[in-house]
Amino acid sequence: MARPRKPLLSRDRIVTTALALIDEEGLAALSTRRLAAELGVSGPSLYNHFATKEAILDAAADTVVGRVDLSMFRDGRDWRGALLAWGRSYRAALTEHPRLVPYLAVGPGLRPAGLRMADAVFGGMVEAGWPPAQATRIGALMRYFVTGSALGSFAAGFVGDAAAYDPADYPHLGQAHLLARHREQVDEGAFETGLRALVDGLALQYAELGAGKDDAQGGAKGAAAE
Amino acid sequence: MARPRKPLLSRDRIVTTALALIDEEGLAALSTRRLAAELGVSGPSLYNHFATKEAILDAAADTVVGRVDLSMFRDGRDWRGALLAWGRSYRAALTEHPRLVPYLAVGPGLRPAGLRMADAVFGGMVEAGWPPAQATRIGALMRYFVTGSALGSFAAGFVGDAAAYDPADYPHLGQAHLLARHREQVDEGAFETGLRALVDGLALQYAELGAGKDDAQGGAKGAAAE
DNA sequence: ACCTGAACACCGTTCAAGT
DNA sequence: ACCTGAACACCGTTCAAGT
């Protein structure tokens, strides 16, 4: 075939197909040869569009993170509402491609979309009155919680067979086998409970800011990005 | 050589060496051939002790999770203190082998040590007066937060070069390049802030339990393991 | 510029053969 | 029982060759 008059591939088509393959068969199934076959080309063709397989994954990760809604940070008044809405949108974006999350959550991980997100969150919190050092921490801890919740199902960790939980070993897990059946409810319920607790707990710290009390966390002195 | 009179390998030695290799060179560097070389044997020898490479990783994950302190759940009175102490021990265990966390955090992930942990947390929370459905959620949301925080550094996502943050694209990241220099402080500060917020926020919900108010989360009805 | 097949140095795993 | 080398079907990536 050699060079066709119209390119067979594009970065977009590669990323979309990679994402679909990951969704259907998992991260491990994504090999350059397999992906190329799915696209109807031979393996090395991909290297005309991406330098490495990792670059393809980075682009896929960036696409996913780019879908997170950040509009709630444009109005700096209601930081609690913004954090709740952002947290939900962030989690929803990740759980659309749950098998990519282990890749996306690790390492530097700040492709352009991640930086835009960090920028919006930090700006929103500072505008709402948080000291910069705390605003940084809020961005970080929300990332921890959301990626952690999207990463793996808690409920799916429990096999759905009651015999698996010998009461001698696990005295309190008598009903644990039921969790597998309610996977999504359990995971979403835990996420919502945690998200509210996080925001409520932060509100307590926020209230102390004005009160002139010492910030037990170390205040603006302890962290960068101020 | 064939069969030596004293076995060259043991499951323990394999797991320990695998963990060391992952710590030094990362998950990707762990191949059966490479690990075998490190152990002074040939690749296939490993299959006398583990069925697959995955089984080796599972065993390594179980070892790491097995080091989490669970003693704080034996006394059911101070659930807040228990959650704080457990969260810190959990995170400390994972960050000793940060490059294993992406593996460990994903999927079923409940090797025996994980089940023991789930059992202790659930039992502790129930004993402290939490309804079972909420106790389940607390175990889950703590796992989200701790694995998320151990998974990847937030601060390391920012390159240490101020020129990387064009103010036109990222108006609030003028100081972000400083984060790389204070990686551990930033990540630990964010973890502590989040952990306290989580526990404080849960305490608010706990206080409402006795007040007879409706549980906005759905109460005992919505989840399993009750 | 963009595709191809051949080639390189790797993988995880199986298996017959050795003691 | 526990190790070995050979073999199978894969990898990611490079590169010269084609149009």
Side-chain angles (χ1 to χ4, degrees), chain A:
Chain A
M1 179 183 301
R3 169 156 131 86
R5 21 178 72 173
K6 208 176 172 295
L8 297 173
L9 295 176
S10 70
R11 287 176 62 96
D12 241 35
R13 221 163 77 71
I14 293 171
V15 167
T16 305
T17 309
L19 227 28
L21 187 52
I22 290 168
D23 287 345
E24 282 158 34
E25 308 190 30
L27 257 183
L30 186 84
S31 73
T32 55
R33 287 166 148 103
R34 179 71 201 282
L35 175 57
E38 215 84 29
L39 288 158
V41 298
S42 82
S45 301
L46 300 172
Y47 290 85
N48 286 297
H49 303 268
F50 288 96
T52 60
K53 176 185 163 180
E54 234 195 332
I56 299 174
L57 283 165
D58 283 344
D62 202 55
T63 306
V64 171
V65 175
R67 288 184 190 134
V68 178
D69 182 15
L70 301 173
S71 62
M72 64 287 287
F73 293 112
R74 281 206 278 271
D75 170 10
R77 281 180 308 242
D78 179 18
W79 67 266
R80 297 188 47 162
L83 242 33
L84 290 170
W86 169 54
R88 289 175 187 131
S89 172
Y90 189 2
R91 178 170 191 266
L94 300 195
T95 50
E96 281 212 31
H97 304 282
R99 307 171 98 167
L100 181 64
V101 178
Y103 180 83
L104 168 156
V106 91
L110 285 176
R111 299 98 192 169
L115 279 182
R116 264 194 302 279
M117 191 161 77
D119 184 71
V121 177
F122 181 77
M125 293 304 108
V126 169
E127 200 192 338
W130 281 100
Q134 286 292 79
T136 299
R137 291 195 182 111
I138 290 173
L141 67 89
M142 287 288 291
R143 180 178 136 112
Y144 299 159
F145 183 64
V146 172
T147 57
S149 86
L151 192 60
S153 163
F154 177 79
F158 297 85
V159 298
D161 173 11
Y165 308 97
D166 186 334
D169 294 328
Y170 313 111
H172 308 107
L173 298 186
Q175 309 295 111
H177 62 102
L178 299 174
L179 287 170
R181 263 209 292 259
H182 306 278
R183 209 179 53 67
E184 261 181 69
Q185 277 165 66
V186 173
D187 286 317
E188 271 206 37
F191 174 74
E192 276 298 321
T193 301
L195 181 63
R196 282 162 196 268
L198 229 26
V199 172
D200 288 347
L202 288 172
L204 258 30
Q205 294 183 24
Y206 188 81
E208 283 180 16
L209 288 177
K213 287 178 71 173
D214 286 293
D215 177 2
Q217 251 63 247
K221 196 162 121 272
E226 25 187 276

